[in-house]
Each structure stands twice: as structure tokens, then as C-alpha cells.
DNA sequence: GCCAACGTTGGC
DNA sequence: GCCAACGTTGGC
């Protein structure tokens, strides 16, 4: 397989949780609503089969809830064309969409949420984007080292 | 192209 | 609900 990359994708569980994804047909859903250029560009760089942590933000406690796989390459986020959506983008046209999304498929919900506190306590993650001061990016790259260190919490 | 004002994110 | 940090907007 082509080189597999790793990512982290944030969602507020009150808006879209890992259980919401689990309840979708084929456990697959579109990751819509991303309205940040850096995050968008990371989604455009995603390849089929890349894996990502599903991170729950703005909740108690925040943390990693599960693992998803990229099931469809970046394509225009339909909510940008919907005048009634909070994600409406007046500058966007069908010919020149501004915002993109990928589809993700649930690989597994982790046996328990790995909290932000626990992540901060792991020396192997000291350089992780998520843990950087002031980091707000909703889509982030994760290094293979970080990925493995996190999985090691579950696969003893 | 600068940068002040404003809006958003997200942990706490 | 607060507010630090960051991104975006818009006047100049």
C-alpha cells in the first residue's frame, strides 16, 4: 500500500460524536463544516486508507474516542451551498467550491476515552500538535511515533 | 501590505 | 461563562 498517513480530527460530540458515526449506514459519514484553510488543506492531503483519531472536543473530558479510516477523498462540502446552513459560504460556487470534506469510516471505538489529561502525561507525545499551547486546528497530522504510542495504551 | 478590531476555538 | 490564543476581515 502507498505510504499511510495518520491524522487527528476534532468534533464536538454534541454536534457529531463517534456514536453518531457508528449509527450511520456502513458506519461512514462526511466530515462537513470545516471552515479553516489549514484544516481544509490537510483534508485535501488525505489518502484512502489513511487513519485518524476521532477526538471529542468542548466536552468533559475532551479526548480521543476512536479510530476512523478515510473512505472518500476530499470533495466539495455540500453545506457551503446551503443558504439555510450555518456553514453557508456566499463566495462558493459549484464551479469554485471553497470548502472540502472527506468521508470517514469507523474502524473502532476505543474501549475507553483517552483523555487530554492522559495524553499530556505521555512523554512520547510532548511534540504533538494537539498538545501545543494555543493549538486549535481541527484537523491535524499525527506522526507514526505518536500514533503508535497512543495505540500502545490499549494493545499491551 | 499593515495591523487593529473582531470573531472563533476550546480548555478550564 | 471566561478568556488566551489564534485566524480573518477590512480600512487605510
Amino acid at each position: 500500500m502507498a505510504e499511510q498517513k495518520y491524522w487527528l480530527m476534532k468534533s464536538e460530540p454534541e454536534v457529531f460524536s463517534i456514536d453518531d458515526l457508528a449509527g450511520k449506514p456502513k458506519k461512514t459519514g462526511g466530515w462537513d463544516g470545516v471552515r479553516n484553510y489549514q484544516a481544509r488543506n490537510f483534508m485535501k492531503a488525505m489518502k484512502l486508507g489513511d487513519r485518524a483519531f476521532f477526538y471529542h472536543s468542548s466536552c468533559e473530558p475532551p479526548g480521543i474516542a476512536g479510530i476512523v479510516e478515510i473512505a472518500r477523498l476530499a470533495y466539495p462540502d455540500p453545506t457551503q451551498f446551503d443558504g439555510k446552513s450555518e456553514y453557508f459560504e456566499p463566495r462558493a460556487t459549484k464551479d469554485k467550491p471553497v470548502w472540502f470534506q472527506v468521508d470517514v469510516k469507523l474502524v473502532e471505538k476505543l474501549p475507553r476515552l483517552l483523555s487530554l489529561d492522559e495524553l499530556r502525561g505521555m512523554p512520547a507525545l510532548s511534540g504533538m500538535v494537539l498538545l501545543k499551547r494555543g493549538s486549535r486546528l481541527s484537523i491535524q497530522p499525527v506522526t507514526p511515533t505518536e500514533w503508535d504510542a497512543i495505540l500502545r495504551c490499549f494493545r499491551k
Side-chain angles (χ1 to χ4, degrees):
Chain A
M1 194 207 287
E3 186 188 359
Q4 187 181 36
K5 292 237 163 69
Y6 300 105
W7 309 92
L8 180 144
M9 305 173 78
K10 292 185 191 172
S11 180
E12 299 185 20
E14 298 215 343
V15 178
F16 186 71
S17 73
I18 194 158
D19 291 327
D20 292 332
L21 181 60
K24 293 228 169 204
K26 298 185 179 175
K27 298 184 178 182
T28 299
W31 203 272
D32 62 18
V34 171
R35 294 295 180 267
N36 169 282
Y37 288 102
Q38 216 179 334
R40 180 202 68 180
N41 293 343
F42 282 133
M43 285 204 293
K44 285 185 168 186
M46 290 174 173
K47 301 275 176 40
L48 292 179
D50 279 3
R51 298 217 157 179
F53 289 125
F54 193 127
Y55 181 89
H56 281 176
S57 66
S58 292
C59 57
E60 190 51 47
I64 291 172
I67 295 168
V68 299
E69 179 175 294
I70 307 309
R72 183 177 169 189
L73 295 175
Y75 61 99
D77 177 343
T79 62
Q80 72 193 300
F81 307 121
D82 177 0
K84 290 189 283 287
S85 169
E86 62 172 313
Y87 297 124
F88 178 63
E89 171 55 72
R91 297 172 298 167
T93 65
K94 301 269 178 177
D95 285 342
K96 295 217 161 179
V98 178
W99 303 113
F100 289 77
Q101 67 181 58
V102 294
D103 285 355
V104 299
K105 177 182 170 62
L106 183 66
V107 173
E108 66 170 314
K109 179 179 175 177
L110 291 172
R112 65 181 184 84
L113 184 121
L114 192 57
S115 75
L116 180 60
D117 265 357
E118 291 174 89
L119 296 170
R120 286 196 201 285
M122 295 170 60
L125 305 183
S126 58
M128 196 175 178
V129 175
L130 180 75
L131 305 182
K132 292 224 169 86
R133 178 182 167 83
S135 168
R136 305 185 316 185
L137 251 191
S138 63
I139 309 281
Q140 314 175 354
V142 172
T143 69
T145 309
E146 292 160 354
W147 184 269
D148 290 342
I150 289 165
L151 287 191
R152 224 173 294 126
C153 297
F154 297 98
R155 325 235 195 282
K156 298 272 157 136

